[in-house]
Amino acid sequence: GCASSAGLAACSAGEPCPAGELRASLGEPSKRPPDEALLLPPPKRPSVASAESLAAEVARLGAAAEGRPRDVDPSLPRVSLVVPAHNAAWCLDEALASVLAQTYRGPLEVSIFDDGSSDGTRALIEAWIPRLRAARVDCVASGSRWGGDAHAEAGGIGFAKNRAVAQSSGSLLAFLDADDVMLPRRVELQVAALSASPRSLVGGAWRRWPDGATAHHEAWAHSLDEEGLWLHQFRETTVQMPTWAMARATFDAVGGFEEVPAEDLLFFHAHLDRAARAERPLLRVGSREEPLLLYRWTASSMTSTVDRRTLLQAPPPALEGGVL
């Protein structure tokens, strides 16, 4: 309650202030129970589906789409999915099923180059060609051992990507490793980004498969905003190769991949050497919670087997040319 005017006057005149009046003037500590909201635990972050469950959902969507012709809008850009394959019979089914699951309604083409496989990769590709075409997805395929040389050596991943690009026809290119899986909106979202920024190299957010296999690298990659994608360029590729999409004109301007180890890092720096920062040379679409790709990791993955010294040789020349 309020203190009486007489009591407050006495206090202000220097006389001892009655305890009751003092408490009333200052206000009693609240006896009301604390707000219930303060007693609740902090809200949990939305749960994130595991990579395995995402892969299963993509497989389900791909199976549902099989044999059903896509409703294609020819006014949209033609996108070629560039798929290099080497001894990929164990995983290629999942990658190609993810093509059928795409929400993009423009013309789609799959361009596969079989780089010296000695397993059943060729037979699997040939079985998929009519399945893709039945869904109105064009497909072109070839291989280093398909022309009669049964003992042709594998040329490497840069070699295979260059051959796959050369035989493709899309004005836009999206890269897909044979052991990775696209989430359904991957092509749709990257085409939208390229329509707004046609000179960009557009990457996508990704999830490591299996979950947590390279947790530190995954966290770093997704911590970078657009400025960070540029500023960290001398550390490594700030948008990871299996998620790349670009205009064919961008690919041609660089001249394709060098057919050596670390071909993606070399292309990345060559692209940035040609690009003005104002042109937004690097973009990434999606988020860690809403990835565009399941990026598989195994002990035999190309990114796992390239010597670290090879990777470290590329940044110094790029640093000299781009900064010094």
Side-chain angles (χ1 to χ4, degrees):
C2 294
S4 69
S5 56
L8 289 177
C11 290
S12 61
E15 299 178 13
C17 192
E21 299 288 355
L22 180 60
R23 283 196 299 272
S25 67
L26 297 177
E28 292 275 4
S30 174
K31 299 294 194 297
R32 186 169 55 87
D35 194 316
E36 289 184 4
L38 299 177
L39 300 176
L40 296 175
K44 293 182 179 179
R45 297 182 66 182
S47 59
V48 177
S50 69
E52 196 65 40
S53 65
L54 290 173
E57 177 62 9
V58 171
R60 185 189 68 79
L61 292 171
E66 188 162 353
R68 298 169 57 188
R70 298 167 59 247
D71 186 14
V72 177
D73 181 350
S75 69
L76 294 173
R78 181 176 179 83
V79 178
S80 292
L81 291 161
V82 177
V83 186
H86 173 70
N87 289 341
W90 65 278
C91 58
L92 191 56
D93 266 326
E94 294 165 306
L96 296 180
S98 75
V99 175
L100 297 181
Q102 292 302 296
T103 57
Y104 182 61
R105 287 292 161 251
L108 267 181
E109 173 188 69
V110 174
S111 178
I112 311 177
F113 185 81
D114 176 11
D115 185 25
S117 295
S118 57
D119 64 353
T121 296
R122 177 176 181 174
L124 191 148
I125 292 170
E126 290 175 336
W128 263 99
I129 291 173
R131 296 166 69 181
L132 291 166
R133 290 176 177 167
R136 297 187 69 187
V137 176
D138 294 329
C139 186
V140 57
S142 63
S144 52
R145 295 188 177 184
W146 291 25
D149 184 356
H151 302 289
E153 294 293 328
I157 195 163
F159 169 86
K161 288 174 188 170
N162 284 339
R163 277 29 180 206
V165 170
Q167 69 188 12
S168 70
S169 60
S171 61
L172 302 181
L173 306 172
F175 291 83
L176 173 64
D177 284 357
D179 59 349
D180 294 333
V181 167
M182 297 185 292
L183 277 295
R185 298 192 66 199
R186 185 256 170 113
V187 175
E188 176 192 352
L189 293 175
Q190 289 189 308
V191 169
L194 284 167
S195 295
S197 187
R199 296 188 179 186
S200 296
L201 191 164
V202 179
W206 48 274
R207 287 283 302 284
R208 185 60 90 185
W209 186 21
D211 288 300
T214 57
H216 179 75
H217 181 249
E218 186 175 356
W220 169 78
H222 292 93
S223 71
L224 303 177
D225 58 12
E226 188 174 334
E227 183 179 24
L229 296 177
W230 174 272
L231 293 176
H232 286 251
Q233 63 178 278
F234 299 112
R235 175 173 175 173
E236 60 176 273
T237 55
T238 53
V239 287
Q240 286 65 47
M241 170 62 213
T243 72
W244 286 4
M246 68 186 78
R248 182 180 293 273
T250 298
F251 182 87
D252 291 342
V254 171
F257 293 100
E258 294 191 38
E259 297 177 5
V260 296
E263 81 297 330
D264 55 343
L265 185 61
L266 296 170
F267 186 103
F268 176 80
H269 285 301
H271 166 67
L272 293 180
D273 286 346
R274 301 181 58 85
R277 187 172 179 182
E279 295 176 340
R280 306 183 74 191
L282 298 173
L283 294 177
R284 185 176 59 234
V285 179
S287 67
R288 198 175 184 186
E289 292 72 27
E290 296 183 359
L292 273 60
L293 185 98
L294 299 180
Y295 185 1
R296 198 189 309 249
W297 184 90
T298 67
S300 60
S301 297
M302 284 301 297
T303 50
S304 305
T305 56
V306 175
D307 191 306
R308 185 66 182 168
R309 286 172 296 180
T310 301
L311 296 175
L312 291 173
Q313 286 172 359
L319 182 63
E320 291 172 7
V323 178
L324 302 180

